[in-house]
Amino acid sequence: MRPLAEHIWVNGELTPWADAKVHVMSHALHYGTSVFEGIRVYDTPNGPCGFRLTDHVRRLFDSARMYHFQLPFTEDELVEACRATVRSTGLKSAYIRPIAFLGACGMGVTPSPENMNVDVAIAAFPWGAYLGEEALEKGVDACVASWSRIAPNTVPSGAKAGGNYLSSYLIGREARVGGFGEGIALGTDGRLSEGAGENLFIVKDGEIITPPAAASILMGITRDSVLKLARGLGYETREQILPREALYVADEIFMTGTAAEITPVRSVDGIPTRAAGPGPVTKAVNAVFRGLFTGATLDRHGWLEPIAAPSPSPARAEPEYA
């Protein structure tokens, strides 16, 4: 694989890209026992900033808790490690991929507690629009996949775990083989869930509606950001169980995610949305989202976290005595 950066942070040290290796007998390679995150760094007027960096790292720890992984670092240590990894690349905009996985744990599916060896790595590299620049501007044609999302009480859909993304792989592959830009999955109850790697939003009569946590979705951080920004613009938002046919009568549809950002959907199963592309609500929400990174939108929530190392506190002068 061509190096995407000079170094990867591995278990506390910056390691040359070519030397960041995992043994073929690692538990995660055989059983999918990994949890990970995706975090965007944007080049803002105040320098490179990680978008909701701390919230992403917190979710990494939440995912690990669901799978009983004990990470060998604190949240603060991994936040700083993400910053240090980006700084080592010299990039002003980047995609950060932290991952924690079971390594040398033996071949048993369930390692003993004393043998739960967790490795942690962080890579940072350039990554453009996940579904393509044209999709961001004009929208993507999607289809409803034949594959359903993970059923409740099988594995936690609320965890961003490596094994969960076998579902995403099948949904996305089916869409692309069929000539579509992305796939949309239903839950096992036949109701709308999410895209292969994105959360789903429908706009109907000016209201923004999205499936809830109970629809076997990952509670996306970009999803949460969009809900907050849309409310700030005065839009009504609602989390609601939705039938498949809601896609076919929507005024607008868009998907959200760290990689996909805000991507409009212009048609589903060959049926165009009424806007037939990015509609006025999607454009308004996207403008205020993008404005966070240009300075046009005030960062009221403190979502932009500087990548630069914090300045050292000035040394206190010793008091002078007569």
Side-chain angles (χ1 to χ4, degrees):
M1 179 181 181
R2 181 179 63 85
L4 300 177
E6 289 188 14
H7 295 91
I8 294 178
W9 187 95
V10 181
N11 291 330
E13 296 182 1
L14 285 170
T15 303
W17 182 283
D19 295 336
K21 298 175 181 179
V22 176
H23 198 280
V24 294
M25 299 307 289
S26 293
H27 196 276
L29 183 61
H30 293 262
Y31 303 118
T33 44
S34 66
V35 295
F36 69 96
E37 277 298 324
I39 308 158
R40 287 261 189 201
V41 174
Y42 290 93
D43 185 11
T44 78
N46 295 317
C49 288
F51 182 61
R52 300 189 66 171
L53 171 59
T54 299
D55 290 336
H56 279 281
V57 171
R58 169 59 61 87
R59 189 174 64 179
L60 179 74
F61 276 76
D62 287 346
S63 296
R65 284 171 64 89
M66 294 181 205
Y67 279 97
H68 307 278
F69 296 179
Q70 184 66 47
L71 272 61
F73 301 94
T74 66
E75 291 181 29
D76 287 345
E77 286 172 335
L78 288 191
V79 167
E80 180 49 40
C82 286
R83 289 191 173 108
T85 304
V86 175
R87 290 198 298 268
S88 77
T89 69
L91 294 170
K92 293 185 178 181
S93 60
Y95 181 89
I96 311 174
R97 170 53 57 86
I99 184 168
F101 57 94
L102 297 190
C105 298
M107 275 290 93
V109 173
T110 308
S112 60
E114 63 273 12
N115 202 29
M116 290 275 285
N117 295 310
V118 180
D119 293 309
V120 183
I122 302 169
F125 48 89
W127 196 6
Y130 178 60
L131 297 176
E133 294 294 338
E134 184 177 348
L136 287 178
E137 295 178 9
K138 299 179 180 179
V140 67
D141 297 309
C143 70
V144 175
S146 64
W147 293 98
S148 297
R149 256 312 188 206
I150 298 163
N153 209 33
T154 53
V155 298
S157 63
K160 195 171 178 70
N164 290 13
Y165 280 76
L166 285 172
S167 167
S168 299
Y169 167 80
L170 291 170
I171 293 162
R173 183 183 184 279
E174 182 178 287
R176 286 161 178 76
V177 168
F180 296 93
E182 189 57 299
I184 295 171
L186 307 178
T188 53
D189 61 355
R191 312 291 179 83
L192 290 180
S193 181
E194 60 184 353
E198 312 88 7
N199 291 123
L200 183 65
F201 286 83
I202 286 175
V203 180
K204 185 69 174 175
D205 298 328
E207 186 177 27
I208 300 173
I209 312 169
T210 189
S216 294
I217 69 168
L218 178 71
M219 295 288 280
I221 291 173
T222 306
R223 172 186 181 274
D224 176 71
S225 305
V226 163
L227 287 170
K228 288 182 169 69
L229 291 172
R231 290 169 190 146
L233 290 172
Y235 290 108
E236 293 291 329
T237 66
R238 183 156 38 104
E239 296 179 72
Q240 178 186 319
I241 294 291
L242 291 164
R244 173 176 179 164
E245 57 268 26
L247 295 169
Y248 307 138
V249 296
D251 298 330
E252 305 172 40
I253 302 171
F254 61 90
M255 294 176 164
T256 66
T258 294
E261 299 173 287
I262 298 177
T263 299
V265 177
R266 62 191 176 197
S267 73
V268 179
D269 293 340
I271 302 174
T273 62
R274 285 193 165 87
V281 176
T282 304
K283 289 178 179 178
V285 174
N286 194 33
V288 73
F289 174 74
R290 290 283 174 188
L292 287 167
F293 317 124
T294 64
T297 301
L298 182 64
D299 181 21
R300 300 179 185 276
H301 303 280
W303 288 339
L304 300 177
E305 301 181 44
I307 293 299
S311 301
S313 300
R316 291 193 305 172
E318 291 296 327
E320 296 181 4
Y321 297 95

